[in-house]
Amino acid sequence: MADGLPTEIDLSRPSAARVYDYFLGGAHNFEIDRQLAEQIASMTPNLAATMRAGREFLRRAVRALLDAGIDQFLDIGSGIPTVGNVHEVAQAANPKARVVYVDIDPVAVAHSRELLAGNDLTGVIHADLRQPEAILAASRSMGLLDLDRPVGILLAGVVHFVPDADRPADLLATLRAAAAPGSFLVVSHSTFEDQPQEMLDAQRLSARTATEITLRSRAEITGFFGDWTILEPGVVHMPLWRPDSPSDVDAHPERFGAFGGVARYDQPAG
Ligand SMILES: C[S@@+](CC[C@H](N)C(=O)[O-])C[C@H]1O[C@@H](n2cnc3c(N)ncnc32)[C@H](O)[C@@H]1O
């Protein structure tokens, strides 16, 4: 690492994690990321708002899992843990909550390690969602998560970076199979459903990052939960998932372009 950054970062291409950080008002991004972010923002103001709405959905979902007694979280595609991230929400409610962050982006991983130094109940893994066994093995060997107990698996705004050719449903099935009964799965995912053309065009710009986005239908996204029990209100446009206040939802919750849902693994009877 030089200047606190890993040597393998590619500064010739924008990175999804750093573009996302820029939209969230973070400082962990470069000129090449800001240029793409500004171009996306000029095409549609909704995309920046989508990213913030995504973070809000994730916080509400994590709180719901904490209320259900979950005290350990595997957050895959965690990005750069800016203010109000999963460990802050979780450890504010339960100081003993454990969080393992996983991201493919070396900059996100390096900043996460820096931000979390000294927090013994959090860990960071540099890994690819497309290799779920490696993620599970690394989180086991880290000793932070006990997968024989219920865990919250968080996949917020990440599965749309996995193209169909990489069989995302199979990847999620592998993660679900490793979880104990009583575990929860949180997914938010970009969609083409109910979207105006400019949103679809802006999403297409993601092809310039190393991680292109695949927009999916509500039915496909619902399929990622497998046979787990989907909690109320179902797989819905993100602001509609248990809003803190009805006034947080306006007339166009679809404008954020992503569905969110939460499911629980109920032990099969008999
Ligand atoms: C839009 S951000 C979401 C951040 C965070 N989960 C949230 O909701 O606030 C997506 C993150 O997924 C990461 N990512 C993309 N493809 C991935 C993959 N195959 N494996 C692991 N992480 C991935 C990106 O590097 C980025 O940090």
Side-chain angles (χ1 to χ4, degrees), residues 128-130 132 161-172 216:
D128 187 339
L129 168 59
R130 289 167 293 181
F161 291 110
V162 178
D164 290 343
D166 287 327
R167 308 177 72 91
D170 291 354
L171 304 176
L172 267 83
R216 296 194 169 92

Side-chain angles (χ1 to χ4, degrees), residues 17 20 55 58 77-79 103-105 127-130 156-158 161:
Y20 188 70
R55 228 3 113 96
L58 178 59
S78 46
D103 206 282
I104 196 173
D105 185 300
D128 187 339
L129 168 59
R130 289 167 293 181
V158 62
F161 291 110

Side-chain angles (χ1 to χ4, degrees), residues 75-233:
D75 183 357
I76 305 176
S78 46
I80 296 168
T82 37
V83 178
N85 213 282
V86 170
H87 70 283
E88 289 171 321
V89 175
Q91 292 177 349
N94 177 357
K96 293 192 176 143
R98 292 158 184 257
V99 181
V100 170
Y101 289 115
V102 181
D103 206 282
I104 196 173
D105 185 300
V107 173
V109 168
H111 284 306
S112 302
R113 291 201 170 121
E114 196 183 307
L115 285 161
L116 297 169
N119 189 329
D120 295 342
L121 299 180
T122 61
V124 185
I125 298 173
H126 185 200
D128 187 339
L129 168 59
R130 289 167 293 181
Q131 289 166 347
E133 286 92 354
I135 293 176
L136 293 165
S139 28
R140 280 197 190 93
S141 65
M142 217 172 215
L144 273 176
L145 303 184
D146 176 1
L147 296 181
D148 293 331
R149 292 178 49 241
V151 62
I153 301 174
L154 313 176
L155 291 162
V158 62
V159 186
H160 47 232
F161 291 110
V162 178
D164 290 343
D166 287 327
R167 308 177 72 91
D170 291 354
L171 304 176
L172 267 83
T174 301
L175 292 171
R176 288 198 312 274
S183 294
F184 288 81
L185 174 60
V186 175
V187 176
S188 61
H189 192 301
S190 295
T191 185
F192 51 79
E193 285 192 27
D194 313 321
Q195 297 310 303
Q197 189 56 43
E198 72 262 21
M199 187 73 157
L200 303 178
D201 293 343
Q203 294 278 20
R204 227 165 269 131
L205 283 178
S206 72
R208 281 209 229 142
T209 67
T211 42
E212 188 174 351
I213 289 179
T214 301
L215 302 175
R216 296 194 169 92
S217 67
R218 188 200 301 251
E220 286 173 292
I221 298 164
T222 302
F224 292 141
F225 294 102
D227 60 0
W228 288 20
T229 308
I230 296 180
L231 306 190
E232 288 300 323

Side-chain angles (χ1 to χ4, degrees), residues 20 24 51-66 73 82-86 88-90 154 156 186 241-242 244:
Y20 188 70
L24 288 170
M51 295 181 180
R52 285 194 294 270
R55 228 3 113 96
E56 286 304 316
F57 161 77
L58 178 59
R59 282 184 207 142
R60 296 197 303 278
V62 167
R63 282 197 210 107
L65 269 51
L66 287 158
F73 298 85
T82 37
V83 178
N85 213 282
V86 170
E88 289 171 321
V89 175
L154 313 176
V186 175
W241 201 89
R242 304 189 185 183
D244 291 332

